[in-house]
Amino acid sequence: MSTEAKLQKEAMHMLKLTSRTFYIPIKLLKTKLRKTVGAAYLCMRAIDEIEDHETMPKETKIFLLRKIAGLLRSKEGFDREAFEALIKPYDELPEVTHRLADWIEVCPAEIIGKVMESTSIMADGMAKWVEKEFIVTTKEELDEYTYFVAGLVGVMLSDIWNWYDGTETDYDLAIGYGRGLQAVNMLRNQDEDAERGVRFIPDGWTRADMFDYARDNLAKADEYMEDLETKNIVLFCRIPLALAKKTLQAMDEGHEKMTRNEVEDTVDKILKEEA
């Protein structure tokens, strides 16, 4: 097995370990897209693990996120040695973070610049919100935070679709797609977030207002889907969106989340419809 093939296999294994939502749709992509989207997801997951780390000091998170952002936007390209020297002392961070340079290497050279640009913007945005201790007080702040941690994923995917086959999509709708998924996650994790002193719901908002925010953005995701014609891309985008809608419905009916069987049934139904 070549080094490239080995690294790609390891990337897919890491993806399976780190993402319940995106592993299935990424695995269903054709080879070129699977390789690209998988690597891009892992790049963003690498920095997300820094932002979300439960015991790492705030100042360390800010330092690492801003340093990595700088490495990602360097005009000389990503400096693997500098990154590995930077991250080496932090054993508490998971493998997906320590191997960021590998995920960059997996991504095709023609699109890696866009992936690194989006990941760099995300890292800087995350550093800002670590500094603010994730306290959201207005809708504008909620929009900003959800842009940095999820809307940017939509933008990056739109860039990848365009590179792949010329698919053109609306960035605002792509951001709405990401925000919608993130809003559902916020609702699902609201109690857990509160326990660690994090509040993503603006002042004066009720849980019902947050449901409306999620629904409004998922409606933008539906509009986003209308611009997609490539069957493989449609399949990829339909699965997370359907799971988000079903999760929102389950919570609205008083359940904590979807059951495993409900998840499997939803995915199977989409696969049959797209077959």
Side-chain angles (χ1 to χ4, degrees), residues 27 89 149 153 206 215 223 228 234-235 248 259:
K27 187 179 179 182
V149 300
V153 180
T206 64
R215 290 190 184 99
E223 287 187 64
L228 303 178
V234 171
L235 176 61
L248 198 65
T259 66

Short mmCIF file of all heavy atoms in Angstrom, two decimals, residues 27 89 149 153 206 215 223 228 234-235 248 259:
data_model
loop_
_atom_site.label_atom_id
_atom_site.label_comp_id
_atom_site.label_asym_id
_atom_site.label_seq_id
_atom_site.Cartn_x
_atom_site.Cartn_y
_atom_site.Cartn_z
N LYS A 27 -18.66 8.86 3.57
CA LYS A 27 -18.31 7.53 3.05
C LYS A 27 -19.04 7.23 1.74
O LYS A 27 -18.53 6.50 0.88
CB LYS A 27 -18.66 6.46 4.09
CG LYS A 27 -18.17 5.06 3.74
CD LYS A 27 -18.53 4.06 4.83
CE LYS A 27 -18.07 2.66 4.45
NZ LYS A 27 -18.45 1.66 5.48
N PRO A 89 3.76 19.60 22.83
CA PRO A 89 3.65 19.58 24.30
C PRO A 89 2.25 19.27 24.83
O PRO A 89 2.10 18.99 26.02
CB PRO A 89 4.06 21.02 24.70
CG PRO A 89 4.79 21.56 23.52
CD PRO A 89 4.16 20.94 22.33
N VAL A 149 -18.37 28.58 13.60
CA VAL A 149 -18.24 27.16 13.90
C VAL A 149 -19.00 26.23 12.95
O VAL A 149 -18.77 25.03 12.94
CB VAL A 149 -18.67 26.84 15.36
CG1 VAL A 149 -17.81 27.61 16.34
CG2 VAL A 149 -20.14 27.13 15.59
N VAL A 153 -18.36 25.93 7.41
CA VAL A 153 -18.34 24.59 6.81
C VAL A 153 -19.16 24.60 5.52
O VAL A 153 -18.75 24.03 4.50
CB VAL A 153 -18.89 23.53 7.79
CG1 VAL A 153 -18.86 22.15 7.14
CG2 VAL A 153 -18.10 23.53 9.09
N THR A 206 -36.50 32.51 24.63
CA THR A 206 -36.94 31.25 25.23
C THR A 206 -36.41 30.10 24.39
O THR A 206 -35.86 30.31 23.30
CB THR A 206 -38.47 31.17 25.27
OG1 THR A 206 -38.95 31.16 23.92
CG2 THR A 206 -39.06 32.37 26.02
N ARG A 215 -35.33 26.40 12.83
CA ARG A 215 -36.23 26.15 11.69
C ARG A 215 -35.99 27.14 10.55
O ARG A 215 -36.01 26.76 9.37
CB ARG A 215 -37.69 26.22 12.15
CG ARG A 215 -38.11 25.08 13.06
CD ARG A 215 -39.62 25.08 13.29
NE ARG A 215 -40.00 24.04 14.22
CZ ARG A 215 -40.24 24.26 15.52
NH1 ARG A 215 -40.14 25.49 16.02
NH2 ARG A 215 -40.60 23.26 16.32
N GLU A 223 -33.51 25.63 0.68
CA GLU A 223 -33.27 26.45 -0.51
C GLU A 223 -31.91 26.13 -1.12
O GLU A 223 -31.76 26.08 -2.35
CB GLU A 223 -33.33 27.93 -0.15
CG GLU A 223 -34.72 28.48 0.12
CD GLU A 223 -34.68 29.99 0.31
OE1 GLU A 223 -34.33 30.70 -0.65
OE2 GLU A 223 -34.97 30.45 1.43
N LEU A 228 -28.51 22.29 -6.07
CA LEU A 228 -27.66 21.11 -6.27
C LEU A 228 -28.28 20.16 -7.29
O LEU A 228 -29.46 19.83 -7.20
CB LEU A 228 -27.46 20.38 -4.93
CG LEU A 228 -26.87 21.20 -3.78
CD1 LEU A 228 -26.78 20.35 -2.52
CD2 LEU A 228 -25.48 21.75 -4.14
N VAL A 234 -26.01 15.82 -3.78
CA VAL A 234 -27.37 15.88 -3.21
C VAL A 234 -27.52 14.86 -2.08
O VAL A 234 -28.03 15.16 -0.99
CB VAL A 234 -28.44 15.64 -4.30
CG1 VAL A 234 -29.82 15.48 -3.67
CG2 VAL A 234 -28.44 16.77 -5.31
N LEU A 235 -27.06 13.64 -2.34
CA LEU A 235 -27.14 12.58 -1.32
C LEU A 235 -26.38 12.98 -0.06
O LEU A 235 -26.89 12.84 1.06
CB LEU A 235 -26.57 11.28 -1.89
CG LEU A 235 -26.50 10.08 -0.93
CD1 LEU A 235 -27.89 9.70 -0.45
CD2 LEU A 235 -25.82 8.90 -1.61
N LEU A 248 -34.80 17.73 15.58
CA LEU A 248 -35.59 18.88 16.04
C LEU A 248 -37.02 18.45 16.35
O LEU A 248 -37.59 18.85 17.38
CB LEU A 248 -35.57 19.96 14.96
CG LEU A 248 -35.97 21.37 15.39
CD1 LEU A 248 -34.96 21.94 16.38
CD2 LEU A 248 -36.08 22.29 14.17
N THR A 259 -33.66 7.99 18.24
CA THR A 259 -33.12 6.68 18.59
C THR A 259 -32.20 6.20 17.47
O THR A 259 -32.26 6.70 16.34
CB THR A 259 -34.25 5.66 18.78
OG1 THR A 259 -34.90 5.44 17.52
CG2 THR A 259 -35.28 6.15 19.80
#
